Amino acid sequence: PHPPPPPSSPPGVTAKDVEVDSRVVMEFGGPLGVTILMIFFPLLMCYLHVVLLRHSGRLQYPLDVEFWTDGLPHLKPTFESAALYMGFTVWQAFTA
């Protein structure tokens, strides 16, 4: 039912392996989708942080200028948070 694998295939590679590997599957919408996610998720986390700290968790209109002028000063990282993230990054590099 399946054609034999090409002669240059390593031993143990079946025709089904070649067929599956020849299909391109773009997860998360491909490069454009991943770029949008990389921009959107940090903005979403900032929005939720401001909503939690300044508005007791009540959702607010995110395009309101007053919302961001009131909330942006509360988004500054502390020494402890920076140390936590840097420590985690170093640990990941060490264990990789």
Side-chain angles (χ1 to χ4, degrees), residues 26-92:
M26 299 255 185
E27 296 178 355
F28 305 107
L32 179 62
V34 171
T35 302
I36 290 170
L37 289 174
M38 289 177 66
I39 293 168
F40 176 71
F41 282 153
L43 289 175
L44 177 64
M45 294 303 109
C46 290
Y47 167 76
L48 293 174
H49 184 75
V50 171
V51 162
L52 183 62
L53 287 182
R54 302 299 297 160
H55 302 282
S56 301
R58 290 185 310 261
L59 297 179
Q60 303 292 313
Y61 184 63
L63 299 180
D64 185 16
V65 175
E66 184 180 332
F67 171 79
W68 290 107
T69 54
D70 181 43
L72 281 179
H74 299 281
L75 293 175
K76 293 184 288 190
T78 62
F79 177 77
E80 291 83 9
S81 65
L84 177 73
Y85 283 116
M86 289 298 109
F88 181 72
T89 301
V90 169
W91 174 253
Q92 289 293 309

